[in-house]
Amino acid sequence: MRLPSFIHRFALFAAMAGAALGAHAADFTVAYQTSVSPAVVAQADGSYEKATHSQIDWRKFDDGASVVAALASGSVQFGYLGSSPDAAAASRKLPIQTFLIAARLVTSEALVTRNGRGITKPADLIGKKVATPFVSTSHYSLLAALEHWHVDPKKVQILNLNPPAISAAWRRGDIDAAYVWDPALGVTKETGKVLVTSGEVGQFGSPTFDVWVVRKDFAEAHPDIVKAFAQTTLRAYEDYRRDPQKWLADSAHVDAVARITGARKSDIPDLLEGNEFPTLAQQRDALGAPTVTALANTARFLKVQGKIDDVLADYAPYVSAGYLPASLH
């Protein structure tokens, strides 16, 4: 049966519009963690969905190892990782690419020792129970700090606990110290003292950072979506960087961050200051040799510690600046 001409034209237009939208839009899943960032506001207000013309399933994960497992299974397409699990994932040849530096860690991760446990200096950690999520940036920083202090990690009872478990164990008094990020970090600080921060460990020669990664198959099929995701993130950073005090004075911003990350509202200013959020220009500089080198160095350290089996000859295929936007406007 032949359609009347106006119906035919309408159907043809609808098909063309649908094809055009389908070429850009795709429903996908994002694995995020509880790190405090200006981009959490864009997550809360639907900016990512608007920019990508997609329905996004945001799934919260407690640690990088769980995100890596989800990326490996294909159940998520984007993932928020620390540099240590990123290096471990690349070393396993997972089909992912680092396309954005989410944050450079300064005071947002730290080693906190419990009051009253007799830990006043690094050597006092010997024989003590220290919790951290294994193969996370916190775990890497803990091991790097112990090496710097010439403390044998085998003489420290290092326990593999995710952040919620660390909070619970801390409240029960089961552990003597913990290297972790918020909100668990805030829990430990209530009755503990910071022994070292990740920024300080970075000055020892072992910097850490958080990244956004994407599965290569998804990125190859939908490069515009990856670029839109990166642009939305960097716009959120720019909005905060333009006037941090004004940004924090907006209760909607603080409420959104607290709701999604679980951080206490009173802690959010310090948590934001605890990270450095790279500009577009800094991203262009970092997403090349510096990140490739950092991942390789991290992988070599993890292999020495027995956390991964092999180190790749080249980590360049797992890093790309090709999804950065030309501008933020």
Side-chain angles (χ1 to χ4, degrees):
M1 179 178 178
R2 185 170 181 175
L3 291 171
S5 60
F6 78 93
I7 298 178
H8 179 76
R9 286 196 299 272
F10 177 81
L12 180 61
F13 174 80
M16 291 174 63
L21 182 62
H24 182 69
D27 295 344
F28 55 91
T29 302
V30 177
Y32 73 96
Q33 297 191 59
T34 57
S35 299
V36 170
S37 156
V40 172
V41 174
Q43 177 182 343
D45 68 15
S47 292
Y48 284 101
E49 284 82 355
K50 182 178 179 180
T52 61
H53 305 288
S54 305
Q55 293 294 318
I56 303 176
D57 178 13
W58 294 90
R59 296 185 189 174
K60 186 175 78 171
F61 287 76
D62 290 325
D63 54 66
S66 299
V67 175
V68 169
L71 286 163
S73 72
S75 61
V76 305
Q77 288 70 52
F78 289 80
Y80 189 101
L81 292 173
S83 48
S84 180
D86 190 19
S91 299
R92 291 171 51 193
K93 299 182 180 179
L94 262 64
I96 60 172
Q97 279 189 315
T98 299
F99 69 94
L100 199 68
I101 305 299
R104 293 180 177 132
L105 307 184
V106 184
T107 60
S108 58
E109 295 188 11
L111 173 60
V112 179
T113 60
R114 192 178 188 88
N115 296 337
R117 298 295 172 93
I119 306 174
T120 60
K121 59 185 183 299
D124 295 332
L125 292 168
I126 294 174
K128 297 295 193 296
K129 295 179 179 179
V130 182
T132 192
F134 276 15
V135 199
S136 66
T137 45
S138 285
H139 187 203
Y140 170 76
S141 294
L142 171 61
L143 294 175
L146 293 175
E147 181 180 64
H148 176 78
W149 293 325
H150 304 292
V151 174
D152 186 350
K154 294 180 180 178
K155 295 182 179 180
V156 180
Q157 298 183 58
I158 302 177
L159 308 176
N160 180 18
L161 297 178
N162 63 33
I166 286 176
S167 295
W170 189 274
R171 290 189 174 107
R172 292 193 303 268
D174 293 347
I175 53 180
D176 305 302
Y179 207 130
V180 70
W181 55 90
D182 269 283
L185 178 59
V187 172
T188 64
K189 285 181 178 179
E190 292 174 358
T191 53
K193 180 181 178 181
V194 174
L195 188 62
V196 72
T197 67
S198 289
E200 292 169 327
V201 176
Q203 294 175 355
F204 296 165
S206 302
T208 50
F209 49 94
D210 287 346
V211 300
W212 278 109
V213 303
V214 62
R215 281 186 57 94
K216 290 182 179 180
D217 53 358
F218 184 89
E220 290 169 359
H222 306 284
D224 288 348
I225 285 181
V226 185
K227 288 182 180 180
F229 193 101
Q231 185 179 56
T232 301
T233 305
L234 294 174
R235 280 176 174 169
Y237 291 176
E238 184 182 53
D239 184 40
Y240 168 75
R241 194 182 299 109
R242 189 181 299 115
D243 190 339
Q245 293 308 312
K246 181 179 179 181
W247 193 96
L248 287 165
D250 188 331
S251 60
H253 290 164
V254 177
D255 288 346
V257 173
R259 182 175 70 256
I260 290 178
T261 67
R264 294 180 300 188
K265 294 180 183 180
S266 59
D267 291 339
I268 289 173
D270 288 341
L271 293 174
L272 287 169
E273 289 183 3
N275 285 328
E276 294 177 356
F277 304 104
T279 65
L280 176 57
Q282 290 170 332
Q283 297 282 349
R284 292 193 182 111
D285 290 339
L287 287 169
T291 300
V292 171
T293 300
L295 292 180
N297 290 341
T298 302
R300 281 192 284 270
F301 185 87
L302 292 174
K303 187 176 188 303
V304 169
Q305 297 295 328
K307 304 306 176 185
I308 61 173
D309 295 328
D310 297 299
V311 175
L312 303 182
D314 184 13
Y315 285 81
Y318 298 89
V319 178
S320 176
Y323 300 106
L324 292 176
S327 72
L328 301 184
H329 307 289

